[in-house]
Amino acid sequence: MNIEPIVNGVVIDHITAGQGMRLYELLGLDKLDCSVAVIKNAMGKRGLRKDIIKIDQEIDLDLDVIGYADPGVTVNFIKDGKVAEKRTIDMPEKLVDVIKCRNPRCITGTEQELRHIFILTDRKNKVYRCMYCETQA
Amino acid sequence: MKRSLIDIVDLSTQELDELIACAKDIMAHPEKYSEICHGKKLATLFFEPSTRTRMSFEAAMYELGGNVISMSSAASSSAAKGESVADTARVISCYADIIAMRHPKEGAALVAANNASVPVINAGDGGHCHPTQTLADLLTIDIQKGRFSGLTVGLCGDLKFGRTVHSLINALSRYEDVRFVLISPEELRLPDYVKTDVLEARGIAYEETADLEGAMPSLDILYMTRVQKERFFNEEDYLRLKDSYILTPAKLAGAKKDLAILHPLPRVNEISVAVDDDPRACYFKQVLCGKFMREALIIKLLKEAGTI
Ligand SMILES: [Zn+2]
């Protein structure tokens, strides 16, 4: 299966197989007008399946969303047909307006215009807690 | 620098020790402190009723020579008109030198602290934190035992939802060689994250049991909490279990002579009135300790803010 190489844009690589569409939705890529390809179950170099997203436009991605949803993903920024920058995205220390607190008694549910902030409290077990009520995400 | 108290973990062990020392000094020499907050105002913002906590803060400020301003009632206040906690905190900062706030929503105190230009003391934010209760607990234990290290602390009742229990575990587990006995029905056991993040992470010894009388002989401190009916899925479980966690003179038969019995109050029936005359009952002393610790805390935060 072939997808045209990108000249200027972003390639999100090494997405855990099956997570591509979820990332597509979390990043709001459905709202873009440019070409976007989601490749499912591509064969990686080490013989492991992975998903890939190719975006045919230079855009600002919320890397925290990527790091939260699927840590270890590689983001390649393509300029003039070459990889201008390659970054491996780890779990961010802090998530701002990425997810919402599910505790019905949390102040974030009633206070207007309060940002939803989560803090990484346990990297090993991937635990984020609401900054306000400490409920686990 | 302006600083607030939201959670007991905001205070270092050294700061806890200093607050306890200050509270004891106030108890011994109240005249030394009777004008320290002269001309300063504490605002008590209680978005849900808690008369005893509010009065404790107000009494504390009066004993320091300060004044108190207060919202008449939550229902008639700006909150009822839909004003945000952030805006309320900004507005009240213009009137008061320090704020004590109780709010039904978890995390509300942090929102207030982030927006107020004066120190905010969390006087309870829903089921989340109530640090001045923990300060009261610590002073009571210090006065009764003269130490925290080496104590065996029994926590009895609702350990699942009891925020005072979680805070006390957090505070006491910083001291050496403290042991916990967690006494509760299966349904109301201490949440796993408190066990893993606090007890196990710090290598603290603990055991879990459903048997209050069996645990009694080993205890130096017995911290009772309320087992509330609404925490159970069905009435039968509640009726079956509730009496097991009511403290009576008979259940104290095997207890140490110098046990200290604490309770955050108000109690409903979890400590029988017959226990009140036992010299080991400390829950009314605890109320007094709460007022003195609030005094020490108000002094600390106003000093750090450069107000006094
Ligand atoms: Zn929350």
Side-chain angles (χ1 to χ4, degrees):
Chain A
M1 198 171 89
N2 285 317
I3 309 269
E4 294 269 311
I6 290 172
V7 181
N8 290 299
V10 184
V11 176
I12 310 174
D13 200 356
H14 303 111
I15 302 169
T16 305
Q19 292 294 312
M21 278 314 288
R22 179 166 164 254
L23 215 50
Y24 177 88
E25 277 160 21
L26 280 170
L27 290 167
L29 301 181
D30 53 324
K31 292 174 195 85
L32 293 178
D33 293 324
C34 66
S35 305
V36 178
V38 179
I39 303 154
K40 262 187 70 161
N41 296 324
M43 189 56 86
K45 276 183 195 135
R46 275 162 270 159
L48 292 169
R49 300 269 177 196
K50 62 177 184 179
D51 289 4
I52 304 166
I53 298 176
K54 295 189 174 192
I55 305 162
D56 193 17
Q57 187 184 305
E58 290 176 87
I59 60 159
D60 254 341
L61 284 172
D62 190 338
L63 298 179
D64 287 351
V65 172
I66 299 173
Y68 168 69
D70 195 8
V73 161
T74 313
V75 178
N76 302 286
F77 299 90
I78 315 288
K79 244 191 161 82
D80 303 323
K82 290 193 187 101
V83 178
E85 195 191 344
K86 186 185 187 102
R87 287 177 63 180
T88 304
I89 312 299
D90 205 353
M91 275 182 288
E93 290 292 334
K94 192 170 169 183
L95 294 172
V96 179
D97 287 335
V98 175
I99 44 171
K100 288 199 157 111
C101 184
R102 59 196 166 88
N103 173 6
R105 296 173 306 277
C106 179
I107 187 70
T108 54
T110 49
E111 181 86 355
Q112 314 102 4
E113 291 170 42
L114 191 60
R115 310 198 89 177
H116 293 256
I117 301 174
F118 282 76
I119 310 288
L120 181 62
T121 56
D122 181 350
R123 186 172 284 276
K124 198 172 111 231
N125 295 307
K126 214 185 156 186
V127 176
Y128 281 91
R129 289 188 185 278
C130 172
M131 182 175 90
Y132 298 97
C133 72
E134 298 179 75
T135 297
Q136 193 173 340
Chain B
M1 218 185 72
K2 183 205 80 158
R3 212 176 130 200
S4 294
L5 177 64
I6 307 304
D7 190 329
I8 197 70
V9 301
D10 300 342
L11 294 168
S12 69
T13 310
Q14 192 194 333
E15 286 177 311
L16 289 179
D17 294 341
E18 285 166 3
L19 284 170
I20 289 168
C22 176
K24 285 182 4 191
D25 198 49
I26 299 171
M27 289 170 106
H29 310 285
E31 69 289 348
K32 259 170 67 183
Y33 298 88
S34 64
E35 289 299 321
I36 194 168
C37 290
H38 179 80
K40 304 303 170 198
K41 288 178 296 248
L42 163 78
T44 50
L45 302 184
F46 277 56
F47 292 86
E48 65 177 9
S50 174
T51 313
R52 63 180 64 239
T53 305
R54 185 169 57 78
M55 287 177 78
S56 178
F57 273 105
E58 296 181 353
M61 192 57 172
Y62 282 125
E63 289 187 6
L64 299 173
N67 297 301
V68 175
I69 52 177
S70 181
M71 282 198 311
S72 51
S73 91
S76 64
S77 76
S78 47
K81 296 178 198 123
E83 187 177 54
S84 65
V85 171
D87 281 4
T88 305
R90 283 190 205 111
V91 169
I92 303 302
S93 295
C94 302
Y95 308 143
D97 300 289
I98 187 164
I99 294 171
M101 186 175 103
R102 161 150 328 201
H103 195 284
K105 290 284 176 180
E106 300 174 15
L110 182 58
V111 175
N114 285 346
N115 289 280
S117 56
V118 299
V120 173
I121 300 172
N122 184 4
D125 59 341
H128 180 224
C129 290
H130 190 11
T132 58
Q133 177 64 53
T134 310
L135 294 178
D137 302 342
L138 292 173
L139 179 58
T140 313
I141 295 171
D142 183 87
I143 288 174
Q144 294 305 121
K145 296 289 168 191
R147 67 193 158 103
F148 297 120
S149 303
L151 294 177
T152 297
V153 181
L155 301 156
C156 176
D158 180 356
L159 308 187
K160 186 173 181 186
F161 299 98
R163 62 182 174 188
T164 55
V165 166
H166 304 171
S167 301
L168 187 60
I169 288 176
N170 228 312
L172 283 178
S173 60
R174 303 176 191 182
Y175 294 90
E176 257 173 63
D177 203 21
V178 173
R179 243 183 102 245
F180 292 100
V181 183
L182 309 170
I183 309 154
S184 75
E186 183 78 28
E187 292 86 340
L188 297 176
R189 281 189 174 190
L190 193 72
D192 285 341
Y193 72 87
V194 182
K195 288 183 216 160
T196 54
D197 296 4
V198 182
L199 294 173
E200 284 157 27
R202 295 182 195 163
I204 307 286
Y206 70 94
E207 62 175 279
E208 291 185 289
T209 174
D211 177 11
L212 174 57
E213 278 176 277
M216 195 68 81
S218 68
L219 305 180
D220 299 305
I221 305 288
L222 173 59
Y223 195 92
M224 296 292 297
T225 62
R226 230 165 104 200
V227 173
Q228 287 167 285
K229 199 169 164 179
E230 52 271 28
R231 302 299 191 200
F232 287 88
F233 291 114
N234 62 64
E235 180 104 16
E236 292 125 68
D237 281 349
Y238 171 69
L239 292 174
R240 176 171 55 81
L241 289 164
K242 70 173 172 74
D243 290 344
S244 321
Y245 303 99
I246 291 177
L247 188 64
T248 57
K251 288 206 183 83
L252 280 169
K256 286 186 184 170
K257 292 273 171 284
D258 63 345
L259 171 74
I261 305 163
L262 279 72
H263 188 298
L265 300 185
R267 71 171 153 182
V268 177
N269 62 353
E270 53 280 0
I271 301 180
S272 104
V273 178
V275 176
D276 295 359
D277 293 329
D278 192 304
R280 292 170 288 191
C282 299
Y283 28 93
F284 293 112
K285 278 183 208 161
Q286 209 177 337
V287 177
L288 198 61
C289 286
K291 185 190 68 182
F292 288 114
M293 281 304 257
R294 288 180 179 103
E295 290 183 34
L297 179 65
I298 290 170
I299 293 171
K300 176 184 170 63
L301 296 181
L302 286 179
K303 274 189 177 164
E304 283 185 24
T307 310
I308 57 171

